Amino acid sequence: MAVNINEGSKHMNTGDGETSYTNNSTPQKIGISKSLHVLDEAVKEMITDIGFPKCFKIADLGCSSGHNSLSVISRIIEKIEHFSKENNNEYEVFLSDLHGNDFNNLFKMLPDFYEKLNINNPSTKCFVSGLPGSFYGRLFPSNSLDFVHSSYSLHWLSQTPEGLESNKDNICIAETSPPEIFEAYSKQHRKDFSAFLSSRGEEMVRGGRMVLMFVGGRVKDHASLKQATLISLLGKTLAEMVAEGVIKEADLHSFNLPIYPPTKEQVEEIVRSEGSFALNELEEFSLPWDVHVTSSANLDKYGWAKLVTNFIRAFSEPTLAAHFGSSIMNEVFEWYGKKMVEVDSKEIPPFPNMVISLTKK
């Protein structure tokens, strides 16, 4: 029987240590930078179509605890100021994530955010607050938001799908997963993404814009699914620990990560059928798992393995710890790191990214 992960564990690694999300979210930062033209165009179109409201209200959903959220907010404000050509603008910004998110770490970055904003736009007033809660339900009053952004969050489901008993040693959708596993994940994603769009449809003003970025864009042929290689390797690591008696087999067989990377066709169909938004743009691109490893780093295979291991650990550890126990997490990722040393980085397929731009009808 599948065991669902409680909401309190659905967050990235907290703090600013070696394995924290703060220090292991550069791949996401690079992905966001590759999609900024979509963000910029959405801001331009909104200001052109409906102008600047008395107070521009922005929400970043799934903000997590690193630098990326405030960097995006800065970019949105910068482009609004450029396109609106207004003075003395006021902004209300909501940074939202689940209750277990490390908001304190995020708030520590606000002084630098305000300082840079004041230097670039001295007449601009910006008020930032944190809002804990699930974006798969209502978070804001009706017709209260002008612009919504979310990056690298919507591939996380609200819960682990039901009916995954046959997935056995896999901890996510993998090449060896039977058809019913794909169906279960797809069904849960459809339910969640529809709820997300419906909630934002109530909360956003007419003509408001929303830019969403997430892991997705898998090929239609599930048999050739390879993008989850590094996560599948984590599953193999756990299976080896079962064989050595470190982890109970029942615990492994009842664990599945609540992550689903949808296809382009699935996203288009859900947006169309839910009906609250018009889909303006959809782009797909791929990034290497080690995109943050520069050639100047001069890393040997051990340094490369540690860097990629920390990246995987930063987003998966809290969920793993909630199921298997926090006491064995160091051991899990030590085993995983050793397996990573044996991996040829050139043989690892890149992970797929999708960015979409929507307008509230």
Side-chain angles (χ1 to χ4, degrees):
M1 179 178 178
V3 177
N4 240 307
I5 307 300
N6 67 70
E7 185 176 292
S9 67
K10 293 179 182 176
H11 59 82
M12 306 297 101
N13 266 353
T14 60
D16 56 3
E18 182 182 8
T19 62
S20 67
Y21 180 80
T22 299
N23 287 324
N24 292 281
S25 55
T26 303
Q28 293 89 329
K29 178 181 179 180
I30 294 172
I32 291 170
S33 70
K34 287 184 175 293
S35 64
L36 286 178
H37 63 285
V38 177
L39 183 74
D40 295 349
E41 185 63 23
V43 172
K44 180 180 179 181
E45 289 177 353
M46 180 175 181
I47 295 300
T48 301
D49 292 347
I50 66 175
F52 191 95
K54 184 177 180 180
C55 178
F56 200 99
K57 297 186 178 182
I58 306 167
D60 186 43
L61 306 183
C63 61
S64 194
S65 55
H67 299 276
N68 295 338
S69 180
L70 290 174
S71 294
V72 171
I73 296 300
S74 295
R75 178 77 174 207
I76 294 172
I77 292 175
E78 174 191 334
K79 291 302 174 182
I80 292 174
E81 297 281 303
H82 173 73
F83 293 124
S84 71
K85 304 188 186 308
E86 298 283 342
N87 294 317
N88 303 310
N89 291 332
E90 291 191 351
Y91 300 88
E92 187 171 11
V93 175
F94 303 95
L95 306 178
S96 182
D97 212 316
L98 294 175
H99 297 81
N101 184 58
D102 189 358
F103 284 101
N104 284 338
N105 194 67
L106 189 59
F107 293 158
K108 291 176 184 177
M109 304 173 191
L110 281 175
D112 287 341
F113 167 80
Y114 283 127
E115 182 179 356
K116 292 176 183 177
L117 185 65
N118 186 56
I119 292 173
N120 297 328
N121 310 93
S123 63
T124 295
K125 294 180 175 61
C126 182
F127 308 92
V128 180
S129 59
L131 179 65
S134 171
F135 54 40
Y136 289 124
R138 288 289 300 273
L139 291 167
F140 304 95
S142 299
N143 302 307
S144 62
L145 295 177
D146 300 297
F147 199 99
V148 169
H149 172 267
S150 179
S151 61
Y152 293 106
S153 297
L154 278 163
H155 51 270
W156 285 91
L157 303 174
S158 65
Q159 65 178 53
T160 304
E162 298 291 333
L164 302 182
E165 290 78 11
S166 61
N167 211 27
K168 295 300 180 182
D169 291 346
N170 296 317
I171 62 170
C172 61
I173 292 177
E175 289 183 272
T176 56
S177 297
E180 63 267 23
I181 301 303
F182 289 95
E183 178 62 28
Y185 268 98
S186 176
K187 181 179 179 181
Q188 185 65 50
H189 172 264
R190 181 182 180 82
K191 177 183 177 181
D192 288 344
F193 192 41
S194 296
F196 176 90
L197 293 173
S198 177
S199 295
R200 304 299 81 75
E202 294 289 335
E203 296 164 349
M204 296 186 69
V205 301
R206 185 175 182 180
R209 277 1 185 234
M210 184 158 64
V211 174
L212 311 174
M213 184 179 182
F214 43 87
V215 177
R218 296 182 290 106
V219 291
K220 290 183 180 180
D221 179 10
H222 294 315
S224 60
L225 177 65
K226 294 180 181 295
Q227 285 90 343
T229 300
L230 295 186
I231 298 178
S232 296
L233 191 65
L234 182 57
K236 293 177 181 178
T237 299
L238 295 171
E240 290 182 2
M241 297 180 76
V242 168
E244 293 295 324
V246 181
I247 291 174
K248 295 179 180 178
E249 184 177 60
D251 288 343
L252 175 58
H253 288 175
S254 62
F255 178 77
N256 284 275
L257 283 168
I259 295 176
Y260 182 73
T263 65
K264 171 184 175 182
E265 291 77 16
Q266 288 172 329
V267 170
E268 291 174 332
E269 195 280 324
I270 295 172
V271 171
R272 183 170 56 252
S273 62
E274 193 282 326
S276 297
F277 294 87
L279 180 60
N280 304 322
E281 196 167 354
L282 186 155
E283 293 188 9
E284 300 174 276
F285 61 93
S286 295
L287 290 173
W289 287 90
D290 58 352
V291 65
H292 51 316
V293 182
T294 62
S295 58
S296 61
N298 294 320
L299 292 176
D300 59 16
K301 63 180 182 179
Y302 298 99
W304 177 87
K306 182 177 181 181
L307 192 147
V308 177
T309 296
N310 284 346
F311 169 61
I312 298 295
R313 184 172 184 171
F315 71 78
S316 65
E317 182 172 10
T319 307
L320 288 165
H323 186 80
F324 296 101
S326 58
S327 62
I328 66 166
M329 285 301 101
N330 284 338
E331 189 172 0
V332 167
F333 287 101
E334 284 175 8
W335 282 54
Y336 182 73
K338 291 176 182 178
K339 291 188 75 67
M340 283 301 306
V341 172
E342 303 168 4
V343 172
D344 183 351
S345 61
K346 296 179 181 178
E347 294 182 359
I348 301 176
F351 67 93
N353 297 257
M354 189 183 302
V355 58
I356 62 175
S357 176
L358 305 155
T359 298
K360 168 67 191 306
K361 293 180 180 178

